[in-house]
Amino acid sequence: MKKPIYLYITPFFPSDDNWRGGYCFDAVEALKQVGEYDVYVLRTGSASGDYNYNGVHVYCLKRLKLPFDCAPFLFTWINGMILKRKLKKLGVDLHDVAVCHANMEPEYAYAIKKANPRVKAIWQTHSHWMGAPFSLWVYRLGIVKGLTDILYLYWRKMLEAMDVVVLLSQLHVKQFGKAYPDGPLGREIDMREQTLFKKYRSIKPKKTIVFYNGINTEVFKREECGERQNSFTIGCVANFGPTKGQMTLLRATKRLVDAGAIPNLRVKLIGSGPMLETCKAYVVKNGLDGSVEFISEVDHLKLPEVYRSFDLFVLPTWQEGFCCTLVEAVGCGVPAMTTKAVSFREVIPEEDQEKWLITPQDDAELAEKIIRYYTERPAFKFNRSMDINDLWHEFIIESVV
């Protein structure tokens, strides 16, 4: 019997030369395990040809947009047509599509929903405040007010047409009705802009659900990593962005090294991004060359071996959705520390949160908690299953069935 079609559309999916989008690969693998759908993966914004990544065939879609995606409403119709033409070329009848699941770019689910109203249209966002997905942060209201009015109305119409809006966490649900975020980033927006933001009413989707980022427990699992050297290794896997917190970790490392608190301390920072050179300069300036190592990106399926070489995973990010690398590290048997600002706290038992969470940008507190872990070695545990197969079964029941 022919299975209904599930379209999984995302700008992020790994390839042989691109490590980003590992979670989407795991999500597709879990979706296929559900066994109820014929799954098609479409990667948007890629001018390259279709390709295969570890058994998943990825169909690439060109996406028209202006720099910073400043006026997406100009290209909604044509991008929808590009999608429909691609599906026609693949022999996909729109009447056979049961679900269109769009990550980050809801215009694709909107286009399929318009063509076939029976389709379950799902939009999943990975940002936990309203301004990010709607481009409002780029077009500061005090500067280009008219454009942001149009953007808001455009996104509201589109998202309220979705059958399901998928958010990353309960914190995400709390923030979704706000145009500016809590925390340090929100404080950077001046009061005039905040007043303008507040005039907008909250977007009211038909249905909103929380869908945590899980892991493939067959890949991210505890294993011996071979002979360990006589050192204590802290690892961090993340883009070097201004909010990821690598500088907080480096400042904490300097405190630890200056105090001689942990013999043979090693810190490995993996990734790339705009803050990388700043971090490297800090290491050189403060004589941390012998303790800190910078490593380029690692393919998603090779990450478990990297995680297992760490004694502790630390990502002091202070503006985050739901960070996959934290869950992946724990899955590989490595305890993880982050900040109280991150929704990852929702899957940690309340009585354990003080062990693993710090105040954002507080390197003194981070150094103190690293020493406490080094001395006491408490075990890390979740308060629920983070197996991505379990999460997808729950998701299908709650959002699709």
Side-chain angles (χ1 to χ4, degrees):
M1 183 177 176
K2 190 175 181 180
K3 294 181 180 179
I5 292 172
Y6 195 116
L7 301 180
Y8 189 86
I9 305 176
T10 176
F12 309 115
F13 206 88
S15 63
D16 291 338
D17 59 357
N18 170 43
W19 66 278
R20 289 174 173 83
Y23 166 73
C24 292
F25 170 73
D26 287 344
V28 167
E29 289 289 276
L31 176 56
K32 289 163 64 177
Q33 287 293 320
V34 172
E36 297 181 10
Y37 302 97
D38 189 2
V39 182
Y40 283 74
V41 178
L42 297 108
R43 178 181 165 191
T44 65
S46 175
S48 61
D50 302 342
Y51 64 94
N52 191 287
Y53 178 78
N54 287 283
V56 175
H57 200 82
V58 182
Y59 302 101
C60 293
L61 283 176
K62 182 179 180 181
R63 182 172 185 261
L64 299 181
K65 64 177 184 176
L66 293 176
F68 304 108
D69 212 6
C70 63
F73 47 83
L74 297 177
F75 303 103
T76 300
W77 180 83
I78 193 168
N79 284 329
M81 287 302 301
I82 291 172
L83 170 60
K84 287 183 277 190
R85 287 174 183 170
K86 182 74 171 184
L87 294 175
K88 184 176 181 180
K89 184 177 179 180
L90 296 175
V92 174
D93 188 330
L94 292 179
H95 291 91
D96 293 331
V97 177
V99 184
C100 185
H101 184 145
N103 278 292
M104 305 300 291
E105 298 164 344
E107 62 262 42
Y108 294 105
Y110 184 77
I112 299 300
K113 183 74 173 179
K114 295 284 285 185
N116 178 8
R118 293 180 300 167
V119 167
K120 181 77 74 169
I122 298 174
W123 178 61
Q124 182 173 3
T125 175
H126 298 270
S127 296
H128 75 252
W129 66 285
M130 186 182 291
F134 308 151
S135 305
L136 297 180
W137 175 253
V138 177
Y139 300 95
R140 305 287 292 273
L141 286 179
I143 301 172
V144 193
K145 178 178 176 295
L147 178 56
T148 50
D149 285 343
I150 296 171
L151 281 168
Y152 183 84
L153 294 171
Y154 165 78
W155 286 109
R156 187 180 73 182
K157 177 182 178 182
M158 188 168 296
L159 297 193
E160 290 185 348
M162 297 293 107
D163 294 294
V164 183
V165 169
V166 181
L167 306 177
L168 287 168
S169 65
Q170 296 299 333
L171 174 62
H172 198 178
V173 173
K174 176 184 174 183
Q175 298 281 56
F176 190 71
K178 297 181 179 181
Y180 59 92
D182 291 336
L185 186 57
R187 290 196 293 271
E188 292 178 9
I189 302 175
D190 65 35
M191 289 306 298
R192 179 179 58 148
E193 290 177 310
Q194 290 191 20
T195 300
L196 289 169
F197 269 128
K198 287 179 180 178
K199 82 171 190 177
Y200 293 126
R201 72 174 180 87
S202 296
I203 287 177
K204 296 179 180 178
K206 296 175 184 175
K207 183 175 184 179
T208 300
I209 67 171
V210 170
F211 187 19
Y212 293 117
N213 292 341
I215 54 169
N216 182 344
T217 55
E218 293 300 311
V219 175
F220 295 95
K221 59 184 178 180
R222 297 171 184 262
E223 284 184 2
E224 293 298 322
C225 67
E227 186 177 350
R228 282 184 176 272
Q229 296 182 354
N230 184 25
S231 62
F232 181 81
T233 302
I234 297 172
C236 179
V237 179
N239 295 327
F240 280 80
T243 66
K244 290 293 185 178
Q246 285 97 340
M247 282 300 301
T248 302
L249 175 55
L250 290 176
R251 288 193 293 268
T253 300
K254 185 176 187 309
R255 288 177 179 273
L256 295 171
V257 171
D258 289 349
I262 299 178
N264 298 316
L265 174 65
R266 297 290 181 268
V267 177
K268 295 183 178 181
L269 302 176
I270 300 174
S272 64
M275 289 292 293
L276 177 58
E277 294 306 317
T278 301
C279 290
K280 286 183 175 180
Y282 180 90
V283 167
V284 172
K285 180 179 179 180
N286 290 277
L288 298 175
D289 313 60
S291 301
V292 179
E293 180 181 2
F294 294 92
I295 302 171
S296 297
E297 296 95 334
V298 176
D299 181 85
H300 179 64
L301 295 178
K302 295 179 181 178
L303 277 174
E305 183 179 350
V306 174
Y307 289 128
R308 294 178 195 125
S309 70
F310 302 154
D311 295 286
L312 179 66
F313 185 86
V314 179
L315 179 58
T317 175
W318 47 267
Q319 198 70 43
E320 192 76 41
F322 190 93
C323 188
C324 298
T325 56
L326 291 164
V327 187
E328 291 168 355
V330 176
C332 293
V334 181
M337 283 187 187
T338 186
T339 72
K340 298 172 184 177
V342 180
S343 54
F344 182 70
R345 67 183 303 167
E346 294 175 17
V347 297
I348 303 175
E350 189 172 349
E351 64 272 17
D352 290 345
Q353 292 184 6
E354 189 60 28
K355 301 172 186 175
W356 311 114
L357 303 176
I358 68 161
T359 304
Q361 300 174 292
D362 191 335
D363 52 279
E365 183 183 359
L366 177 58
E368 178 186 332
K369 290 194 175 180
I370 290 173
I371 293 172
R372 188 184 305 171
Y373 172 76
Y374 176 78
T375 304
E376 300 175 4
R377 304 297 174 107
F380 189 104
K381 60 184 178 182
F382 289 122
N383 60 16
R384 57 151 301 142
S385 170
M386 296 306 294
D387 186 324
I388 198 167
N389 292 306
D390 295 340
L391 292 168
W392 265 94
H393 278 286
E394 294 173 14
F395 174 74
I396 292 296
I397 292 171
E398 190 172 356
S399 66
V400 179
V401 177

